[in-house]
Amino acid sequence: MKMQDLTDKVAVVTGASSGIGEAAARLLVAEGMHVILSARRRERIEALAEELGDKATAITADVADADQVRALFDKIRARFGGLDLLFNNAGLGVFGRFASSMPEDWRRMIDANIYGVLNCTHAAIPLMKGRPGAMICSVSSTGGRYGVEGWSVYCATKFAVNGLHDALRKELGLEGIRVSVIEPGAVWTEFGHNVPQEALQERREILDALTAEDVAQALVYAFAQHPRVLVEEILVRPVKQVAP
Protein backbone atom coordinates (compact mmCIF):
# COMPACT_ATOMS: atom_id res chain seq x y z
CA MET A 1 0.00 0.00 0.00
CA LYS A 2 1.51 3.31 -1.11
CA MET A 3 1.42 6.08 1.47
CA GLN A 4 3.16 9.43 1.85
CA ASP A 5 6.75 9.51 3.06
CA LEU A 6 6.44 11.52 6.28
CA THR A 7 10.17 12.06 6.81
CA ASP A 8 10.99 15.56 8.10
CA LYS A 9 7.38 16.72 8.14
CA VAL A 10 6.48 18.78 11.21
CA ALA A 11 3.72 17.93 13.68
CA VAL A 12 2.48 19.33 16.94
CA VAL A 13 0.68 16.98 19.32
CA THR A 14 -1.29 18.48 22.20
CA GLY A 15 -1.94 16.42 25.30
CA ALA A 16 1.29 14.57 24.52
CA SER A 17 2.09 13.70 28.13
CA SER A 18 0.11 10.43 28.15
CA GLY A 19 -2.40 8.23 26.39
CA ILE A 20 -3.33 8.88 22.77
CA GLY A 21 -1.08 11.93 22.52
CA GLU A 22 1.98 10.06 23.73
CA ALA A 23 1.23 7.12 21.43
CA ALA A 24 0.76 9.45 18.47
CA ALA A 25 4.05 11.19 19.17
CA ARG A 26 5.87 7.85 19.25
CA LEU A 27 4.40 6.72 15.93
CA LEU A 28 5.04 10.03 14.18
CA VAL A 29 8.67 10.11 15.31
CA ALA A 30 9.02 6.51 14.11
CA GLU A 31 7.83 7.76 10.70
CA GLY A 32 10.68 10.28 10.68
CA MET A 33 8.69 13.39 11.55
CA HIS A 34 9.73 16.29 13.74
CA VAL A 35 7.21 16.27 16.59
CA ILE A 36 6.51 19.09 19.01
CA LEU A 37 5.18 17.58 22.23
CA SER A 38 2.86 19.96 24.06
CA ALA A 39 1.08 19.52 27.38
CA ARG A 40 0.81 21.13 30.80
CA ARG A 41 2.89 18.43 32.52
CA ARG A 42 6.41 19.62 31.76
CA GLU A 43 8.25 16.72 33.37
CA ARG A 44 6.34 14.12 31.35
CA ILE A 45 6.86 15.68 27.94
CA GLU A 46 10.50 16.49 28.64
CA ALA A 47 11.13 12.87 29.62
CA LEU A 48 9.33 11.66 26.49
CA ALA A 49 11.30 14.06 24.26
CA GLU A 50 14.56 12.81 25.77
CA GLU A 51 13.52 9.22 25.12
CA LEU A 52 12.46 9.90 21.52
CA GLY A 53 15.61 11.80 20.60
CA ASP A 54 16.33 14.83 18.44
CA LYS A 55 13.15 14.45 16.37
CA ALA A 56 11.06 15.43 19.43
CA THR A 57 10.80 18.83 21.11
CA ALA A 58 8.91 19.49 24.34
CA ILE A 59 7.10 22.82 24.77
CA THR A 60 4.86 23.27 27.80
CA ALA A 61 1.52 24.95 27.10
CA ASP A 62 -2.07 24.99 28.34
CA VAL A 63 -4.21 24.92 25.20
CA ALA A 64 -7.00 26.79 26.99
CA ASP A 65 -4.67 29.79 27.42
CA ALA A 66 -4.57 31.78 24.16
CA ASP A 67 -1.32 33.56 25.09
CA GLN A 68 0.47 30.27 25.78
CA VAL A 69 -0.81 28.85 22.51
CA ARG A 70 0.41 31.88 20.55
CA ALA A 71 3.85 31.50 22.15
CA LEU A 72 3.88 27.79 21.25
CA PHE A 73 3.17 28.42 17.57
CA ASP A 74 5.57 31.37 17.42
CA LYS A 75 8.31 28.96 18.53
CA ILE A 76 7.24 26.45 15.87
CA ARG A 77 7.36 29.14 13.17
CA ALA A 78 10.78 30.34 14.32
CA ARG A 79 12.33 26.86 14.40
CA PHE A 80 10.60 25.04 11.54
CA GLY A 81 9.08 27.75 9.35
CA GLY A 82 5.75 25.96 9.06
CA LEU A 83 3.59 23.04 10.15
CA ASP A 84 2.27 19.93 8.40
CA LEU A 85 0.10 18.33 11.09
CA LEU A 86 -1.81 19.66 14.06
CA PHE A 87 -3.15 16.87 16.27
CA ASN A 88 -5.63 18.41 18.70
CA ASN A 89 -5.66 15.70 21.32
CA ALA A 90 -5.73 17.58 24.64
CA GLY A 91 -9.08 17.38 26.42
CA LEU A 92 -10.93 16.18 29.46
CA GLY A 93 -14.26 14.77 30.56
CA VAL A 94 -16.02 15.00 33.93
CA PHE A 95 -18.62 12.32 34.59
CA GLY A 96 -21.93 13.04 36.32
CA ARG A 97 -25.61 13.65 35.70
CA PHE A 98 -26.22 17.16 34.42
CA ALA A 99 -28.74 18.11 37.14
CA SER A 100 -26.07 17.66 39.81
CA SER A 101 -23.09 18.92 37.79
CA MET A 102 -21.06 22.00 38.65
CA PRO A 103 -20.58 25.06 36.40
CA GLU A 104 -16.85 25.05 37.12
CA ASP A 105 -16.66 21.57 35.56
CA TRP A 106 -18.60 22.78 32.51
CA ARG A 107 -16.01 25.53 32.09
CA ARG A 108 -13.08 23.14 32.44
CA MET A 109 -14.45 20.94 29.67
CA ILE A 110 -15.39 23.85 27.43
CA ASP A 111 -12.00 25.51 27.94
CA ALA A 112 -10.01 22.37 27.13
CA ASN A 113 -12.22 20.69 24.56
CA ILE A 114 -13.52 23.70 22.61
CA TYR A 115 -11.30 26.70 23.32
CA GLY A 116 -8.21 24.48 23.23
CA VAL A 117 -9.11 23.30 19.72
CA LEU A 118 -10.05 26.81 18.61
CA ASN A 119 -6.86 28.37 19.96
CA CYS A 120 -4.53 25.80 18.43
CA THR A 121 -6.34 25.55 15.11
CA HIS A 122 -6.47 29.33 14.66
CA ALA A 123 -2.73 29.60 15.36
CA ALA A 124 -1.84 26.64 13.12
CA ILE A 125 -3.65 27.61 9.92
CA PRO A 126 -1.20 30.34 8.79
CA LEU A 127 1.71 27.90 9.26
CA MET A 128 0.04 25.29 7.02
CA LYS A 129 -0.55 27.36 3.91
CA GLY A 130 1.40 26.16 0.90
CA ARG A 131 2.45 22.87 2.54
CA PRO A 132 1.16 19.89 0.52
CA GLY A 133 -0.95 17.49 2.56
CA ALA A 134 -1.15 19.72 5.63
CA MET A 135 -3.78 18.46 8.06
CA ILE A 136 -5.71 19.53 11.13
CA CYS A 137 -6.84 16.41 12.95
CA SER A 138 -8.72 16.50 16.24
CA VAL A 139 -9.84 13.89 18.70
CA SER A 140 -13.60 13.90 19.08
CA SER A 141 -15.43 10.87 20.50
CA THR A 142 -18.28 8.48 19.97
CA GLY A 143 -19.80 11.03 22.37
CA GLY A 144 -19.51 13.56 19.53
CA ARG A 145 -22.00 11.51 17.55
CA TYR A 146 -24.28 10.13 20.25
CA GLY A 147 -25.43 11.51 23.57
CA VAL A 148 -24.22 9.41 26.48
CA GLU A 149 -25.89 9.43 29.88
CA GLY A 150 -23.64 11.01 32.49
CA TRP A 151 -21.50 12.77 29.90
CA SER A 152 -23.88 15.48 28.72
CA VAL A 153 -21.53 18.47 28.77
CA TYR A 154 -18.60 16.42 27.49
CA CYS A 155 -20.79 15.23 24.60
CA ALA A 156 -21.81 18.82 23.90
CA THR A 157 -18.15 19.82 23.56
CA LYS A 158 -17.43 16.95 21.20
CA PHE A 159 -20.50 17.69 19.07
CA ALA A 160 -19.03 21.20 18.80
CA VAL A 161 -15.70 19.79 17.64
CA ASN A 162 -17.44 17.79 14.90
CA GLY A 163 -19.43 20.81 13.74
CA LEU A 164 -16.36 23.03 13.69
CA HIS A 165 -14.42 20.55 11.61
CA ASP A 166 -17.19 20.10 9.07
CA ALA A 167 -17.25 23.87 8.55
CA LEU A 168 -13.45 24.17 8.48
CA ARG A 169 -13.24 21.42 5.88
CA LYS A 170 -15.35 23.60 3.59
CA GLU A 171 -13.37 26.76 4.38
CA LEU A 172 -9.90 25.28 3.96
CA GLY A 173 -10.30 22.50 1.41
CA LEU A 174 -9.63 24.67 -1.65
CA GLU A 175 -6.35 25.76 -0.05
CA GLY A 176 -5.30 22.12 0.21
CA ILE A 177 -5.53 21.96 4.01
CA ARG A 178 -7.17 18.74 5.13
CA VAL A 179 -9.48 18.68 8.16
CA SER A 180 -10.24 15.40 9.91
CA VAL A 181 -11.70 14.06 13.15
CA ILE A 182 -11.12 10.80 14.97
CA GLU A 183 -13.96 9.56 17.18
CA PRO A 184 -12.70 6.87 19.54
CA GLY A 185 -14.87 4.65 21.66
CA ALA A 186 -13.59 3.07 24.86
CA VAL A 187 -9.79 3.38 25.17
CA TRP A 188 -7.30 2.41 27.86
CA THR A 189 -6.10 5.91 28.89
CA GLU A 190 -6.17 8.22 31.92
CA PHE A 191 -9.40 9.80 30.60
CA GLY A 192 -12.35 10.34 32.91
CA HIS A 193 -12.72 12.50 36.01
CA ASN A 194 -15.22 11.63 38.73
CA VAL A 195 -15.63 8.08 37.42
CA PRO A 196 -15.45 5.14 39.85
CA GLN A 197 -12.18 3.53 38.76
CA GLU A 198 -13.29 -0.05 39.41
CA ALA A 199 -16.36 0.42 37.22
CA LEU A 200 -14.30 2.07 34.48
CA GLN A 201 -11.72 -0.72 34.52
CA GLU A 202 -14.43 -3.39 34.46
CA ARG A 203 -16.16 -1.78 31.47
CA ARG A 204 -12.93 -1.52 29.52
CA GLU A 205 -12.08 -5.15 30.26
CA ILE A 206 -15.53 -6.34 29.19
CA LEU A 207 -15.31 -4.35 25.94
CA ASP A 208 -11.66 -5.28 25.27
CA ALA A 209 -11.06 -1.55 24.93
CA LEU A 210 -8.81 0.02 22.34
CA THR A 211 -5.24 0.88 23.19
CA ALA A 212 -3.90 4.38 22.69
CA GLU A 213 -1.76 2.95 19.88
CA ASP A 214 -4.89 1.80 18.04
CA VAL A 215 -6.12 5.39 17.88
CA ALA A 216 -2.69 6.76 17.00
CA GLN A 217 -2.55 4.38 14.04
CA ALA A 218 -5.81 5.88 12.76
CA LEU A 219 -4.14 9.31 12.81
CA VAL A 220 -1.10 8.10 10.85
CA TYR A 221 -3.34 6.30 8.35
CA ALA A 222 -5.32 9.50 7.68
CA PHE A 223 -2.28 11.78 7.50
CA ALA A 224 -0.14 9.52 5.32
CA GLN A 225 -2.66 9.46 2.49
CA HIS A 226 -1.79 11.29 -0.73
CA PRO A 227 -2.28 15.06 -0.25
CA ARG A 228 -5.34 14.97 -2.51
CA VAL A 229 -7.04 12.43 -0.22
CA LEU A 230 -9.07 13.51 2.79
CA VAL A 231 -10.02 10.90 5.36
CA GLU A 232 -12.61 13.21 6.84
CA GLU A 233 -13.83 11.16 9.79
CA ILE A 234 -12.75 7.98 11.53
CA LEU A 235 -15.10 6.39 14.05
CA VAL A 236 -13.03 3.71 15.80
CA ARG A 237 -14.31 1.59 18.65
CA PRO A 238 -13.81 -1.83 20.21
CA VAL A 239 -15.71 -4.45 18.24
CA LYS A 240 -17.56 -5.41 21.44
CA GLN A 241 -18.71 -1.82 22.06
CA VAL A 242 -22.09 -1.99 20.37
CA ALA A 243 -23.38 1.19 22.01
CA PRO A 244 -23.35 4.09 21.87
Side-chain angles (χ1 to χ4, degrees):
M1 183 166 61
K2 189 175 172 97
M3 308 289 272
Q4 272 198 89
D5 180 2
L6 304 184
T7 303
D8 290 333
K9 289 186 179 290
V10 180
V12 60
V13 176
T14 70
S17 57
S18 66
I20 294 168
E22 178 184 345
R26 291 181 182 280
L27 280 183
L28 295 172
V29 166
E31 292 289 332
M33 294 184 65
H34 297 282
V35 181
I36 296 90
L37 314 170
S38 186
R40 293 178 298 174
R41 294 183 286 187
R42 179 188 302 273
E43 297 82 3
R44 289 238 190 146
I45 57 172
E46 288 181 348
L48 180 58
E50 183 175 358
E51 177 188 342
L52 294 178
D54 58 8
K55 288 284 191 179
T57 303
I59 303 178
T60 306
D62 180 349
V63 296
D65 185 316
D67 290 337
Q68 292 186 36
V69 170
R70 277 192 291 271
L72 165 66
F73 284 87
D74 284 346
K75 290 174 183 176
I76 294 168
R77 184 193 295 274
R79 177 164 178 183
F80 298 103
L83 182 67
D84 300 293
L85 172 64
L86 167 63
F87 187 42
N88 284 312
N89 168 70
L92 63 90
V94 181
F95 179 76
R97 297 184 67 84
F98 182 72
S100 57
S101 63
M102 304 297 291
E104 51 265 37
D105 286 332
W106 310 344
R107 292 188 195 97
R108 288 171 63 204
M109 287 184 276
I110 290 168
D111 284 349
N113 301 352
I114 299 180
Y115 277 105
V117 170
L118 294 173
N119 290 335
C120 292
T121 301
H122 191 260
I125 289 169
L127 302 185
M128 293 183 158
K129 295 189 175 183
R131 295 178 76 96
M135 174 179 277
I136 297 159
C137 184
S138 299
V139 176
S140 179
S141 169
T142 52
R145 282 226 194 157
Y146 312 100
V148 183
E149 183 180 3
W151 296 99
S152 52
V153 178
Y154 175 77
C155 289
T157 67
K158 293 304 187 179
F159 269 80
V161 168
N162 285 8
L164 171 70
H165 282 62
D166 191 37
L168 283 178
R169 173 182 63 81
K170 296 163 186 172
E171 293 181 15
L172 298 175
L174 292 180
E175 297 182 56
I177 298 175
R178 302 180 292 176
V179 181
S180 179
V181 291
I182 299 174
E183 300 157 334
V187 188
W188 285 104
T189 68
E190 296 176 1
F191 174 83
H193 295 269
N194 202 37
V195 184
Q197 289 304 303
E198 288 185 8
L200 187 60
Q201 168 125 352
E202 181 181 10
R203 179 174 185 269
R204 287 170 173 168
E205 288 175 350
I206 290 170
L207 295 178
D208 192 12
L210 303 176
T211 66
E213 291 74 19
D214 294 331
V215 182
Q217 286 179 15
L219 167 69
V220 175
Y221 169 80
F223 182 58
Q225 299 294 323
H226 190 281
R228 69 172 171 266
V229 177
L230 170 63
V231 180
E232 178 182 344
E233 185 176 22
I234 299 178
L235 175 60
V236 54
R237 67 168 92 208
V239 67
K240 294 180 180 179
Q241 183 182 347
V242 296

